[in-house]
């Protein structure tokens, strides 16, 4: 894999880690959360899947994360979804991919599934919701003890960054201060204004949200001890998705379950992906 610079339109460019050559294999697209960029969030999962040689793996950065940027004023989840879909199509992914989305990435993934059903065949969603309604937002903020998402997700100091990771995990190992300093400089010193606007656009009124009909098979893979979107939230999401949804919880793991318990997460993810490939093969036959 290597990073690819994909121009969506004049003024909008996405960075997407993609196979170095075309692969005739099932496409898996990893969608990152709000705390970090794509490859940093999903590195341990990407290494696992690439080693298996069974999948064509794509890891985009959302606009205003990593190497992706736009001069448009649109900050909506719909715009992020449109950019990812167009970027994937330019790289040859035009149908039947599986999205793996964490938190913010799950919300973008749900919108992609709604907007581009021919592109999105199935989803694996971790610690996320269909949309961040005011009631869901307020409940999550209450659980982690923050007045707003910008206060939580846009830390300005090492101390604030540590608090963010601590509340997003069950038992994430302590890292040296210089690591936190590096993360703060690389991940949070650019696009603070634009990311704050993304967060403001993310929360919608309860009345504005309607549950979409999603034809995709959707697997929910959760951290059992997630405070931001707890297991009650996961059960509500499963009910919203309907009969095609499955739910698995990984114990002793929080919101960052893929980083806290990568071996177990990867095992579960590989099993889900294998089942999706098998189902697709049976359907084609």
């Amino acid at each position: 894999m290597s990073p690819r610079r994909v121009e969506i339109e004049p003024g909008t460019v996405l960075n997407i880690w993609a196979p170095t050559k075309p692969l005739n294999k099932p496409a898996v697209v990893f969608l990152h959360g709000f705390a970090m960029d794509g490859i940093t969030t999903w590195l341990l999962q990407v290494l696992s899947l690439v080693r298996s040689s069974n999948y064509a793996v794509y890891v985009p950065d959302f606009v205003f994360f990593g190497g992706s940027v736009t001069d448009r004023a649109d900050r909506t989840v719909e715009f992020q979804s449109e950019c990812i879909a167009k970027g994937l199509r330019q790289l040859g992914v035009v149908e039947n991919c599986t999205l793996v989305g964490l938190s913010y990435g799950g919300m973008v993934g749900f919108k992609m599934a709604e907007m581009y059903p021919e592109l999105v065949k199935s989803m694996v969603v971790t610690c996320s919701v269909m949309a961040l309604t005011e009631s869901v937002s307020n409940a999550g903020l209450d659980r982690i003890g923050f007045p707003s998402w910008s206060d939580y997700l846009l830390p300005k100091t090492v101390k604030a960054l540590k608090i963010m990771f601590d509340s997003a995990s069950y038992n994430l190992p302590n890292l040296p201060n210089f690591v936190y300093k590096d993360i703060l400089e690389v991940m949070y010193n650019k696009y603070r204004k634009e990311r704050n606007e993304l967060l403001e656009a993310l929360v919608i009124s309860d009345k504005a949200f309607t549950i979409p009909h999603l034809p995709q098979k959707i697997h929910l893979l959760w951290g059992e001890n997630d405070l931001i979107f707890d297991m009650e939230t996961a059960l509500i999401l499963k009910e919203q998705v309907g009969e095609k949804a499955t739910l698995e919880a990984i114990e002793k793991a929080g919101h960052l379950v893929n980083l806290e318990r990568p071996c177990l997460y990867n095992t579960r993810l590989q099993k889900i992906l294998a089942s999706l490939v098998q189902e697709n093969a049976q359907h084609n036959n």
Side-chain angles (χ1 to χ4, degrees):
M1 294 180 66
S2 62
R4 304 277 293 276
R5 180 181 169 87
V6 181
E7 186 177 54
I8 306 304
E9 60 187 37
T12 301
V13 176
L14 288 194
N15 179 68
I16 303 178
W17 284 78
T20 53
K21 60 182 179 180
L23 298 175
N24 187 23
K25 298 177 181 179
V28 180
V29 181
F30 286 94
L31 303 176
H32 64 85
F34 210 90
M36 295 179 286
D37 62 18
I39 202 66
T40 308
T41 300
W42 293 111
L43 179 61
L44 299 175
Q45 285 67 50
V46 169
L47 290 173
S48 174
L49 288 196
V50 169
R51 286 190 188 122
S52 76
S53 301
N54 294 324
Y55 306 97
V57 178
Y58 298 82
V59 190
D61 291 330
F62 292 130
V63 170
F64 299 123
F65 293 85
S68 299
V69 68
T70 186
D71 59 6
R72 283 179 56 175
D74 196 331
R75 302 291 184 259
T76 62
V77 169
E78 287 83 356
F79 178 59
Q80 295 279 24
S81 303
E82 177 187 342
C83 289
I84 300 297
K86 288 181 177 179
L88 290 172
R89 285 172 176 165
Q90 287 195 39
L91 295 176
V93 182
V94 296
E95 62 181 359
N96 294 342
C97 73
T98 296
L99 304 180
V100 183
L102 169 69
S103 195
Y104 182 64
M107 299 177 214
V108 176
F110 274 119
K111 187 55 65 175
M112 285 180 64
E114 181 183 355
M115 293 170 65
Y116 307 101
E118 74 289 347
L119 173 64
V120 181
K121 179 72 173 181
S122 52
M123 294 177 65
V124 181
V125 178
T126 295
C127 302
S128 187
V129 289
M130 281 190 182
L132 192 60
T133 61
E134 288 177 345
S135 59
V136 171
S137 173
N138 292 337
L141 288 170
D142 284 345
R143 283 191 293 270
I144 58 176
F146 278 81
S148 71
W149 292 111
S150 59
D151 286 326
Y152 178 59
L153 290 169
L154 295 174
K156 297 179 181 178
T157 64
V158 167
K159 181 181 179 181
L161 183 63
K162 286 182 177 180
I163 291 172
M164 185 187 76
F165 280 122
D166 284 345
S167 57
S169 59
Y170 176 76
N171 189 24
L172 200 66
N174 286 325
L175 300 173
N177 266 10
F178 74 85
V179 175
Y180 286 108
K181 287 180 181 177
D182 286 347
I183 294 173
L184 201 61
E185 288 180 15
V186 173
M187 298 289 174
Y188 295 96
N189 282 351
K190 289 180 68 176
Y191 305 128
R192 294 188 68 90
K193 174 179 176 292
E194 291 84 358
R195 289 191 194 181
N196 184 63
E197 292 167 353
L198 289 174
L199 289 170
E200 289 177 351
L202 189 59
V203 181
I204 63 172
S205 70
D206 287 58
K207 290 182 179 180
F209 172 63
T210 56
I211 300 172
H213 170 71
L214 299 174
Q216 295 85 358
K217 188 69 176 288
I218 297 175
H219 295 268
L220 309 180
L221 185 55
W222 229 260
E224 188 175 72
N225 306 97
D226 185 9
L227 289 179
I228 299 172
F229 300 125
D230 60 7
M231 288 305 301
E232 182 179 350
T233 305
L235 290 169
I236 292 171
L237 178 59
K238 183 177 185 295
E239 185 177 337
Q240 290 173 336
V241 173
E243 61 183 15
K244 290 188 177 182
T246 66
L247 172 60
E248 294 182 67
I250 295 177
E251 64 180 10
K252 297 182 180 179
H255 193 70
L256 301 176
V257 53
N258 62 304
L259 295 174
E260 283 193 274
R261 306 206 64 186
C263 292
L264 186 53
Y265 186 94
N266 292 351
T267 299
R268 300 279 183 90
L269 178 61
Q270 292 259 25
K271 184 178 179 182
I272 290 169
L273 294 176
S275 71
L276 291 171
V277 171
Q278 185 178 12
E279 287 175 15
N280 193 43
Q282 291 173 349
H283 178 75
N284 290 337
N285 290 334

